[in-house]
Amino acid sequence: MSDESKTSDRPREDEDRHAFAAEAHSLWRITFAPTVWALHFVLCYGLVSLSCAKGLIPIATVQAVLIALSLLALAIIAWLGFRSLRQWRVLVTGQLEHPEGTPESRHRFLGHAAFLLSVISAIGVIFVSMPLILIGGCQ
């Protein structure tokens, strides 16, 4: 076997670096929806603790602000989920799985993962927001 045939079978490092650089934004997109959920969680529990434990803010004001923030968080997560769904392209192709190892397949898989994380994050925001609606005040 000649040296040329050995090197032609292996992917070039430049191609791998280029493919990874093209997917860097997709890798960041995966983290956005869980980050919105985490910030929402911290704000909800932090503001309620300031209201109930310290009495610094009236609970009715906190509930109104947090319900508005919850709707904003859900809107942001829905927008991120929609963008991820477009990247996944499942509605266009109907293909749920990505068995190939092509760059396009990896790109669509990252969209798939980001969409699923958006769904989980939306459920998390809803569950964190439920006590704001169901519980009248501090006990």
Side-chain angles (χ1 to χ4, degrees), residues 56-139:
L56 297 176
I57 309 168
I59 190 66
T61 304
V62 169
Q63 284 178 322
V65 167
L66 290 179
I67 289 172
L69 284 175
S70 298
L71 293 174
L72 177 65
L74 286 173
I76 292 170
I77 290 170
W79 178 72
L80 290 168
F82 176 73
R83 287 186 49 146
S84 300
L85 187 62
R86 282 192 353 198
Q87 180 181 343
W88 181 16
R89 297 178 42 97
V90 70
L91 300 177
V92 175
T93 63
Q95 183 182 10
L96 295 174
E97 297 177 357
H98 314 286
E100 304 92 23
T102 63
E104 176 64 22
S105 181
R106 286 189 297 268
H107 179 74
R108 290 178 54 208
F109 172 75
L110 290 173
H112 183 179
F115 175 74
L116 293 176
L117 283 169
S118 296
V119 170
I120 291 170
S121 298
I123 292 169
V125 167
I126 290 169
F127 273 90
V128 169
S129 301
M130 285 178 68
L132 296 171
I133 299 167
L134 298 176
I135 298 173
C138 302
Q139 299 297 329

